[in-house]
Every structure is written in structure tokens, then in C-alpha cells.
Amino acid sequence: MQKKIIATHGKVGTNDLDEDFVKEVESTVKAIYSQLPSKYIGSSTMKGVSFVKFLQNIVECMNDSETSNTISIPSEYESITQFVAQVAIKEATEFYEERMNTLKNEGKLPILWEEFEETHIEYISEIDKLFFEKIIGSPKQIGSFVEQLHEKIFEFKKEFRKINSRELMIYNGNIAKKVWSRYIDNKINSFKNNEEFQAALESFELAYDKSMKKSLKANKVITSYKRNQYPAAIDHMKQLGIMNKRLAEAMYLREETDRLRREAFERTEAIRIETAAFEREREKFRENFESKISELQKNIEEQRKCNGEMNKVLEDFQKI
């Protein structure tokens, strides 16, 4: 009965087999795996995907009458290295896009730029770690593949920056519109003197600063108001006769100076945030890259050890 079951083992479950037989098979399989030496492409370990692709390519070449006599193992190694790299790059970029899309689709945008960069670094660090686990090749090849990956990630990041930037402008623009209406538009015809008007402008800025999402785009909203709404409000106060020409010009100059100061700060702060994020991203990359190089060096030592053992076996065999 057991022989009949074994003869059709592909159609029966493990539970239908003798328990001792199953244990023996499992023990044999583990013993085989424990003694199998690692397969390498150069100094990189050939893992599941790369090894299967390598065997598949070799079998296809052997079965093709035009290429069966021209199989080149080095060429196949190069082909597999490129194949694994492109698969790893595709998976990594899809992972990044999926994570960033989750922020957008779950309504978590807009977020502050510091938080945006923090999220990006978290994802890119995780991506690099997974990428280096899968990638194979020489250090020079790996460096080239990482560059390709980061170029693609950078393009995705630029798109998500645009989305977050737009959402920040909309969010903070709505805040500014609301408080401007409350402190200026609804009261501009009732101000008795210039002091009341300037106090209202200060109240507008304080209320906006309290409610908006602090970011470079928040500053851009204020500079836009100082370029457009502020001069219009000052003109209106001048037309009402509450503000004379000289005072109006002094206010134009003050608000224009403040606008230029804010815009200069915005440019400086943008550079600071991007530089800090770049340094942190580079540090995370260096950690993962050095770990990969250490793995390659370890593989080289392992190959030397195996080659030495193999040479010893051959020498002993020749003495027989």
C-alpha cells in the first residue's frame, strides 16, 4: 500500500505517508542542504532568483540548436547580474511609490517639510537595505545599480514634493483667507485711524501663524499677501483719508522689506532642509553599502577556503 502511495506521491498529501518515512525524507533533505556549498557570481552569493534564472538561461541555450554549442558562463553571469538588478530596482521603486501614495490616499497630506524628508529617509533607508540584500555583482556594478535606483526614486520624490507643496499652499491659503476676512476685509471700512489698521494687520499675522502649518509654503502665502493684499488694503485706507500719502509709502516700504526678508529666509531654509536630508540619506546609504562590501569580502574568503579544501582533496586523490 505504501509503495502505491509513494508511486503517486505528487497527488497525495504528506499526512497520507508513513510518519517515519516523512521524518527520514526531511532529515535527508536537511542533510543535503547543510552540505551544499554556496553558489557565487564573482564575490556575490547567487540566491534563489538569480540561480533559477541562471539555470533557466543555460537550459534554454542547451535546447536551442543555434546556441547549444556557444554557451558562455561569464556572459550568463553578466546577464543574470543585470537581470537581478533590474528586478530589484523595479521592486524598490514600486515599494517607495506605494508607501508615498498611501500618505496621499489616506489624506495625510499636507505634512511639514521636515516630516516629509523624515518619511522619505525612512523609506529610502528601508529600500536600500532590501535592495542590497538582493543585488549581486562587483562593487563597481553595485554602485552603478544604486545610482540607477536613486535616480528613479528622486523622480518619484519630486512628484510627491509637488503634491505636498500644492496641498500646503491650499491649506495655508485657506487659513490666510479666513483670518484676512475676519481681521481686515470685514473691518476695513470701520477703522478710525492708522493705529487700528496696523493693529489689525498684526492680529492677522498672529492668527495666521497660530493656525497654519509651519513650512516654507506658509511663508510663501504671507509674502504673497504682502505683495498683493497689503498694498490694496493700504490704498483703500488712503482713499478713505485715514492714511496720508507719506505714511502709506512708509508702509509700502516696510511690508516690501519684510517680504524680501521672508523670501530670502525661505530660500536659505529650503537649502538647509535639503542639505540636512541629503546628509542623513547619504549616511544611511553608506551604512548599507559598507555592509554589502563586507558581505562580498566575506564571500571571497569563503571561496578561497573552499578552493583550498578542494585542492587538498585533489592532491590526496592524486597520491592514491
Side-chain angles (χ1 to χ4, degrees):
M1 181 66 179
Q2 189 70 22
K3 290 182 178 180
K4 291 182 179 180
I5 293 177
I6 293 175
T8 58
H9 68 279
K11 300 178 182 179
V12 298
T14 304
N15 293 334
D16 295 324
L17 297 173
D18 181 77
E19 184 176 344
D20 291 337
F21 173 77
V22 172
K23 288 182 178 179
E24 189 65 29
V25 170
E26 290 177 348
S27 177
T28 302
V29 170
K30 289 179 180 179
I32 292 173
Y33 276 118
S34 68
Q35 298 178 38
L36 284 176
S38 297
K39 304 297 185 293
Y40 299 98
I41 292 182
S43 56
S44 296
T45 305
M46 190 186 294
K47 299 181 180 179
V49 173
S50 54
F51 191 54
V52 169
K53 181 64 177 175
F54 172 74
L55 293 178
Q56 181 182 348
N57 287 359
I58 293 296
V59 171
E60 288 177 355
C61 286
M62 292 175 66
N63 290 333
D64 189 330
S65 59
E66 296 182 1
T67 60
S68 59
N69 295 323
T70 60
I71 296 176
S72 171
I73 298 301
S75 297
E76 289 301 325
Y77 281 172
E78 177 63 24
S79 174
I80 300 306
T81 299
Q82 295 293 332
F83 171 80
V84 171
Q86 296 312 309
V87 169
I89 290 172
K90 182 174 182 295
E91 290 178 352
T93 51
E94 287 177 349
F95 174 90
Y96 182 84
E97 185 179 18
E98 179 184 346
R99 288 297 185 91
M100 296 299 277
N101 270 325
T102 299
L103 291 177
K104 180 180 69 173
N105 297 334
E106 292 183 356
K108 295 180 180 179
L109 298 180
I111 58 177
L112 306 184
W113 285 122
E114 288 83 354
E115 184 181 351
F116 180 91
E117 293 295 348
E118 189 74 26
T119 302
H120 165 75
I121 290 170
E122 176 187 339
Y123 293 162
I124 198 69
S125 178
E126 191 173 353
I127 285 170
D128 277 345
K129 188 175 181 180
L130 296 173
F131 182 76
F132 280 121
E133 286 178 357
K134 295 182 178 181
I135 206 69
I136 58 177
S138 67
K140 183 177 179 180
Q141 287 176 313
I142 290 173
S144 174
F145 298 146
V146 170
E147 186 176 337
Q148 293 176 42
L149 170 64
H150 284 197
E151 285 177 358
K152 290 182 178 294
I153 293 295
F154 180 72
E155 292 303 315
F156 280 114
K157 181 185 177 182
K158 281 203 306 185
E159 290 303 312
F160 284 110
R161 281 185 66 89
K162 289 179 182 178
I163 294 171
N164 192 54
S165 178
R166 183 173 64 247
E167 293 296 324
L168 278 171
M169 286 293 288
I170 292 172
Y171 182 91
N172 288 327
N174 287 336
I175 295 294
K177 183 177 180 181
K178 182 179 179 181
V179 294
W180 180 266
S181 178
R182 181 194 306 164
Y183 290 102
I184 307 300
D185 277 351
N186 292 342
K187 297 180 179 180
I188 197 165
N189 292 317
S190 61
F191 294 131
K192 296 178 181 179
N193 51 54
N194 179 57
E195 287 72 20
E196 285 189 3
F197 174 58
Q198 293 198 46
L201 289 176
E202 291 177 4
S203 295
F204 158 71
E205 293 186 20
L206 287 172
Y208 174 73
D209 287 341
K210 183 178 179 180
S211 302
M212 57 77 171
K213 284 187 177 292
K214 294 184 183 299
S215 66
L216 300 179
K217 293 302 176 184
N219 197 54
K220 192 176 288 292
V221 170
I222 281 292
T223 56
S224 174
Y225 267 72
K226 287 182 178 290
R227 185 186 297 111
N228 300 296
Q229 281 86 346
Y230 274 57
I234 293 170
D235 285 344
H236 187 77
M237 293 295 291
K238 189 169 61 173
Q239 291 171 8
L240 292 176
I242 295 175
M243 184 180 296
N244 60 40
K245 181 179 180 181
R246 192 174 73 174
L247 183 58
E249 288 178 350
M251 284 198 68
Y252 290 143
L253 179 60
R254 187 186 71 181
E255 299 305 336
E256 177 66 8
T257 301
D258 187 56
R259 180 183 70 81
L260 293 173
R261 179 187 63 79
R262 287 174 178 267
E263 288 181 343
F265 170 79
E266 179 183 333
R267 290 191 294 270
T268 303
E269 189 67 3
I271 293 173
R272 183 193 68 79
I273 292 174
E274 290 181 7
T275 301
F278 174 76
E279 288 298 326
R280 290 191 60 199
E281 183 176 328
R282 187 171 64 174
E283 181 61 30
K284 292 289 184 182
F285 161 74
R286 183 162 48 240
E287 291 175 5
N288 288 318
F289 186 75
E290 288 176 353
S291 176
K292 185 65 177 182
I293 296 303
S294 177
E295 176 193 324
L296 297 182
Q297 291 172 341
K298 183 179 178 181
N299 288 342
I300 291 173
E301 293 300 320
E302 188 65 29
Q303 289 181 71
R304 287 174 179 169
K305 180 181 176 181
C306 288
N307 290 338
E309 292 175 352
M310 182 62 70
N311 289 335
K312 188 176 184 307
V313 171
L314 290 174
E315 289 174 2
D316 292 342
F317 179 76
Q318 291 172 351
K319 292 177 183 178
I320 298 176

